[in-house]
Amino acid sequence: MGSTAREEMSRFWEKNTRSNRPVSPHVTIYKWSLPMAMSITHRGTGVALSLGVSLFGLAALLLPESFPHYLAQVRALSLGPALLCSAKFLLALPLSYHTWNGIRHLV
């Protein structure tokens, strides 16, 4: 006669408890390396870029005014050149990193 799923699970957990093995490896057992960090950063920048493009597209569809109107509002804030350059850098950095890391991966 066949056993139930509950009995199978019970046998499985009893066997693992007796053998004193971990269920699965934990992140702490891995030694961090540069390729691992670059892969994680590549995925993070990809997600951030896709979210940014999606939000920009959604804003273009839903906001009542056109782009020049909002650009004029940003210019009216009279932000300093250091803040503007920093903002431009923070926008360009994920795009550049993701692009160059993607090319490196393909090569």
Side-chain angles (χ1 to χ4, degrees):
M1 184 170 250
S3 61
T4 65
R6 184 173 299 247
E7 292 169 351
E8 289 293 325
M9 263 178 70
S10 178
R11 269 186 254 150
F12 172 78
W13 287 112
E14 286 172 12
K15 185 179 103 177
N16 277 343
T17 304
R18 278 194 312 267
S19 65
N20 208 13
R21 292 185 306 177
V23 176
S24 64
H26 194 263
V27 176
T28 58
I29 68 167
Y30 296 109
K31 181 182 175 195
W32 282 82
S33 62
L34 184 61
M36 182 189 299
M38 289 177 71
S39 175
I40 291 169
T41 307
H42 183 76
R43 290 173 190 223
T45 56
V47 168
L49 288 169
S50 68
L51 286 175
V53 168
S54 298
L55 289 175
F56 186 79
L58 190 62
L61 287 173
L62 298 178
L63 291 176
E65 298 290 332
S66 62
F67 182 72
H69 171 76
Y70 297 109
L71 187 59
Q73 283 186 337
V74 171
R75 286 188 179 152
L77 293 174
S78 299
L79 302 172
L83 186 60
L84 284 176
C85 286
S86 298
K88 289 177 183 179
F89 177 76
L90 288 176
L91 287 173
L93 181 67
L95 180 66
S96 323
Y97 177 81
H98 191 77
T99 302
W100 287 110
N101 194 40
I103 292 170
R104 179 196 64 85
H105 178 72
L106 287 174
V107 168

